[in-house]
Amino acid sequence: MDLTRENEAIRAYLKLIQVKGAGSAVLHKRSLFLEQLIVNLAGKELDGNVYREAVENLMETILVDDWHTALTSAREFYPFWKKDIKAIAALNINPGFDVAPLLWKPLPASLKSLMESLVTEKFEASENWPLKAYAQALRQEGSELSLVDTRTKLAKIILVRLKNAPVKNHKSYRTAVDLTLPLFHIKNNRRLFLVVVREFYHFWIGNPDASSMVLKDGSGNILL
């Protein structure tokens, strides 16, 4: 098995995030994950679908608490594996490399307990307005009531997971999502959750063009 190409990509990635300020613990943890990942990439075509499949298969073996770190590594490593200089430059600018992980995790939960909590959960005004705007955008696109209900429930799960976050920003949103994904044991449900994650984010941050983002991408790509 020739891993020359993949090992070169790992070295380039780790060198850059080290320059960006990643400490030895971060470098070690990410290298361990990537060394597992590249075994499934050796000799494979430099293709996004190939990469996503390799990541999804590996994630089934990762401990729940490590999903955020692992997915962060996979997302950031992808352009290095593809040798996509433009993509690396774009990632470097926005959103940038996550070299200082957020020292927060959502409280332990199961998908069952989260769904049950929605019956009694009280949301603040700052949480209710993006929920209502999201539901309205779905209805305006002609969505059936069942679809609107399902997607808004999934959006509420995101908000529940963010309840105790010390700061509400893109990093806490991403962390909450990554550590909720493994609770969805059925892949199709996990992919639907990912679609909602990307749609709802625009409403959560108050993007004035959020309504234009709904029902446009149903892929549920774990790497986006």
Side-chain angles (χ1 to χ4, degrees):
M1 182 184 298
D2 185 4
L3 292 171
T4 303
R5 178 186 68 184
E6 283 70 29
N7 280 318
E8 287 178 353
I10 288 179
R11 284 194 294 270
Y13 169 62
L14 295 178
K15 182 178 180 180
L16 180 57
I17 65 171
Q18 183 177 28
V19 170
K20 291 290 181 182
S24 57
V26 170
L27 294 169
H28 179 65
K29 201 162 188 177
R30 295 195 187 185
S31 66
L32 289 178
F33 172 77
L34 293 175
E35 284 167 8
Q36 295 179 73
L37 177 61
I38 64 172
V39 172
N40 296 320
L41 294 173
K44 299 285 182 65
E45 181 183 357
L46 296 175
D47 176 77
N49 290 327
V50 169
Y51 189 84
R52 188 192 70 242
E53 182 178 356
V55 172
E56 287 185 340
N57 290 337
L58 178 56
M59 291 308 298
E60 298 301 327
T61 70
I62 302 298
L63 295 174
V64 171
D65 282 349
D66 293 334
W67 269 56
H68 178 58
T69 298
L71 286 173
T72 298
S73 305
R75 292 180 185 116
E76 294 182 354
F77 179 65
Y78 177 63
F80 290 85
W81 177 68
K82 286 200 72 176
K83 296 183 178 180
D84 190 337
I85 304 301
K86 288 184 178 179
I88 293 171
L91 176 61
N92 194 27
I93 297 171
N94 185 25
F97 292 93
D98 188 2
V99 297
L102 188 66
L103 299 178
W104 167 82
K105 292 181 179 180
L107 296 173
S110 66
L111 184 58
K112 182 175 183 290
S113 69
L114 289 170
M115 292 299 292
E116 289 175 347
S117 74
L118 299 184
V119 177
T120 57
E121 188 67 51
K122 302 296 182 184
F123 294 101
E124 298 176 2
S126 61
E127 298 169 316
N128 272 319
W129 75 256
L131 282 171
K132 290 178 179 177
Y134 181 42
Q136 182 179 5
L138 290 169
R139 289 194 296 269
Q140 287 176 343
E141 289 294 322
S143 301
E144 294 183 1
L145 184 60
S146 59
L147 184 149
V148 176
D149 183 59
T150 297
R151 295 201 180 195
T152 51
K153 282 181 179 177
L154 292 174
K156 286 179 180 179
I157 285 177
I158 300 170
L159 294 177
V160 170
R161 296 290 270 167
L162 283 164
K163 280 286 186 183
N164 69 327
V167 180
K168 304 294 198 315
N169 59 17
H170 72 281
K171 290 185 72 169
S172 58
Y173 190 91
R174 176 71 79 182
T175 301
V177 166
D178 286 349
L179 294 177
T180 303
L181 285 173
L183 306 182
F184 289 86
H185 300 300
I186 299 173
K187 283 190 176 182
N188 284 342
N189 292 345
R190 183 186 296 166
R191 285 174 178 161
L192 175 59
F193 178 65
L194 282 165
V195 171
V196 172
V197 163
R198 281 185 270 284
E199 290 181 344
F200 183 63
Y201 179 71
H202 296 285
F203 295 89
W204 187 70
I205 64 172
N207 181 351
D209 296 320
S211 295
S212 66
M213 309 292 181
V214 302
L215 303 178
K216 297 296 187 292
D217 179 10
S219 63
N221 189 340
I222 199 169
L223 296 170
L224 297 178

